[in-house]
Amino acid sequence: MSSQGYPRQLRLLTAGDYRRVFETAAFKVHGKGLMALASPNERGHPRLGLIFSKKNVRRAVDRNRLKRIVRESIRLQQHRLPSVDIVVLARRGVHELDNATVHRQLHGMWRRLEREARRSSPGMDSPSPESGNAGRAR
């Protein structure tokens, strides 16, 4: 059984981590009001960073709600995603979307990211949903 937690190792923690994703982004996926940049990593699991600026999402309560939704989405989908560092950016108007719509947008973004990563490098560590953690232990 795979872990469904969101431990510290699944997060981008330093400015250098974010900078590396911005400089070497191999994948770019859009959703309504959201954009994700991703760069392959060697860690064997995805990591997530969030950028929700005051300029694009005015109220703190909206920024926090959206960040919670993104974290929950990545927590549930982490077993399907390839080994990439992901930075999710908010765009103007995303705060107007309801929670269900944001969840749908994110689910579609993760599917597209998984597809793009598999297409760009067939050998990339990306287990299928049926295989659980198979392929990760090396």
Side-chain angles (χ1 to χ4, degrees):
M1 179 175 207
S2 65
S3 170
Q4 293 293 315
Y6 188 65
R8 191 170 172 86
Q9 67 191 20
L10 293 180
R11 304 173 193 173
L12 295 179
L13 299 172
T14 66
D17 291 340
Y18 282 87
R19 190 176 314 113
R20 191 181 67 77
V21 173
F22 280 111
E23 291 173 356
T24 65
F27 312 109
K28 187 177 187 179
V29 291
H30 298 272
K32 185 175 183 174
L34 296 169
M35 180 175 67
L37 299 173
S39 177
N41 71 31
E42 302 297 323
R43 296 178 181 265
H45 56 81
R47 294 191 308 165
L48 177 69
L50 303 170
I51 298 179
F52 286 74
S53 69
K54 278 187 188 179
K55 180 179 177 183
N56 292 332
V57 184
R58 215 43 170 164
R59 298 183 327 156
V61 65
D62 292 328
R63 287 193 304 276
N64 293 335
R65 173 182 66 91
L66 291 165
K67 288 191 282 188
R68 264 194 315 275
I69 292 170
V70 175
R71 283 190 205 107
E72 177 69 4
S73 177
I74 199 82
R75 185 183 71 79
L76 295 173
Q77 297 295 320
Q78 67 186 343
H79 63 283
R80 299 185 69 202
L81 293 171
S83 297
V84 292
D85 290 341
I86 305 166
V87 174
V88 176
L89 298 119
R91 298 168 125 179
R92 282 201 176 109
V94 68
H95 68 278
E96 296 168 359
L97 302 175
D98 65 347
N99 292 357
T101 304
V102 175
H103 271 291
R104 280 193 306 273
Q105 293 293 321
L106 289 165
H107 185 70
M109 287 170 61
W110 303 146
R111 265 198 339 258
R112 285 191 303 276
L113 177 62
E114 180 185 13
R115 196 175 325 129
E116 282 185 31
R118 193 178 305 124
R119 190 178 321 133
S120 72
S121 57
M124 186 174 241
D125 191 342
S126 176
S128 67
E130 297 84 31
S131 66
N133 283 338
R136 287 194 182 229
R138 289 188 178 172

